[in-house]
Amino acid sequence: MNYIWDLLVRSGRSGMKRSDIHFVPAKVYSPYMELSHADLNAAAVEQEVEVNPYYRFYDIFRDLFDPNNTEDSELRETLFDLIIHFLAELDLMQGMNKREYQIRFTLREMQEGVFGERIRQRLKLFGREEQEVIAGHVLRLFDTGEAVHLLRELLVRMFPRSTLYANCEDKDELLLYIGEEERPETREKLELILELFLPVRFETEIYWKRHFGIIDVDHTMVQDCIALY
């Protein structure tokens, strides 16, 4: 972790607000690094971060911290924090493509309730990276209309042991094996996925920890562990 944009990415993934990070000019730093860590292998994001402003932004900061200028230090440090935050946001935007912007806009609409209050509330149960995956799948749904395929992909991503079975001989039915114990939070997560991606014509049967029996598939035929279909 050497760049200010990398720091913001990590803070977002850890749930820390960017506004909680305070950038200060480093008193001792390496000329080959932008962030000045006491531990070079540090992965955690701290609230106060020392920055070497001359690593990439010499032209901006060369006159701001002249060692002979001891006046208005508090004002200059506040200005430094604001400018570094602005430069870090520019860094992030320059590294984004059109699709990433669309994902951010879609995610913001979901968080603001455009997709409904239930979606807004249940979205909070997912981490930031998981939320972006969901928003990306919503965009793919708009582009392709392949709801069942995207439903299966998202189920496996959020519930790694899950399996989706389609029964379309007599009726449109999906059998969802989750592979986890049923808990209120887990059920709410599943309900969000189904509300976004389940086609209206399909009925569903949900199996949590116990799988229904499938002949010749041994792990589904364990005695006293078979769910009824």
Side-chain angles (χ1 to χ4, degrees):
M1 184 167 59
N2 183 34
Y3 296 98
I4 51 178
W5 62 264
D6 190 9
L7 185 77
L8 293 194
V9 170
R10 288 175 182 260
S11 69
R13 290 176 178 173
S14 67
M16 179 186 291
K17 294 182 179 178
R18 296 174 186 174
S19 57
D20 291 336
I21 300 174
H22 180 58
F23 293 107
V24 296
K27 295 178 181 178
V28 178
Y29 53 84
S30 165
Y32 305 106
M33 298 185 68
E34 186 161 271
L35 301 182
S36 181
H37 299 290
D39 180 3
L40 293 179
N41 297 315
V45 179
E46 299 179 354
Q47 287 191 309
E48 184 169 284
V49 180
E50 293 191 358
V51 179
N52 169 13
Y54 308 119
Y55 182 72
R56 285 193 296 158
F57 309 114
Y58 175 78
D59 290 340
I60 298 175
F61 293 104
R62 61 182 179 182
D63 298 322
L64 191 59
F65 293 101
D66 189 319
N68 297 317
N69 184 2
T70 59
E71 299 180 358
D72 301 318
S73 59
E74 184 176 348
L75 173 61
R76 285 185 286 119
E77 288 181 4
T78 300
L79 183 60
F80 178 84
D81 181 47
L82 292 173
I83 294 174
I84 292 293
H85 269 284
F86 178 73
L87 292 171
E89 294 289 345
L90 286 180
D91 263 356
L92 284 177
M93 292 181 181
Q94 288 175 347
M96 292 172 62
N97 57 34
K98 179 181 177 181
R99 191 65 172 182
E100 288 171 323
Y101 274 107
Q102 291 173 332
I103 289 174
R104 296 285 180 90
F105 292 146
T106 302
L107 180 57
R108 185 173 64 187
E109 289 180 346
M110 296 170 72
Q111 293 170 336
E112 292 175 351
V114 175
F115 286 71
E117 182 62 21
R118 289 195 302 270
I119 296 296
R120 188 181 74 84
Q121 291 294 337
R122 289 167 175 164
L123 193 64
K124 298 175 184 178
L125 299 173
F126 296 88
R128 176 70 185 188
E129 188 172 345
E130 292 176 328
Q131 291 179 6
E132 291 182 355
V133 170
I134 293 171
H137 277 61
V138 169
L139 286 175
R140 289 175 61 189
L141 179 62
F142 294 159
D143 293 338
T144 67
E146 295 289 341
V148 176
H149 173 73
L150 293 170
L151 172 61
R152 182 187 63 81
E153 274 194 4
L154 203 53
L155 277 176
V156 173
R157 179 67 180 264
M158 301 304 171
F159 307 104
R161 298 183 60 190
S162 65
T163 307
L164 185 147
Y165 302 90
N167 176 18
C168 299
E169 291 183 1
D170 302 322
K171 55 183 176 180
D172 291 328
E173 182 181 44
L174 296 178
L175 310 179
L176 284 68
Y177 171 68
I178 307 303
E180 297 183 13
E181 294 287 351
E182 181 180 3
R183 301 188 306 274
E185 179 178 324
T186 308
R187 174 166 281 281
E188 290 292 311
K189 286 183 175 182
L190 178 59
E191 290 293 337
L192 178 142
I193 295 172
L194 293 178
E195 186 167 348
L196 286 174
F197 297 97
L198 180 66
V200 176
R201 72 179 189 277
F202 278 92
E203 299 178 6
T204 60
E205 289 286 345
I206 300 172
Y207 299 87
W208 292 93
K209 192 67 173 178
R210 295 190 174 189
H211 203 294
F212 54 88
I214 302 177
I215 297 175
D216 293 333
V217 181
D218 293 342
H219 72 274
T220 70
M221 301 294 286
V222 179
Q223 190 173 0
D224 296 328
C225 294
I226 303 174
L228 296 179
Y229 168 58

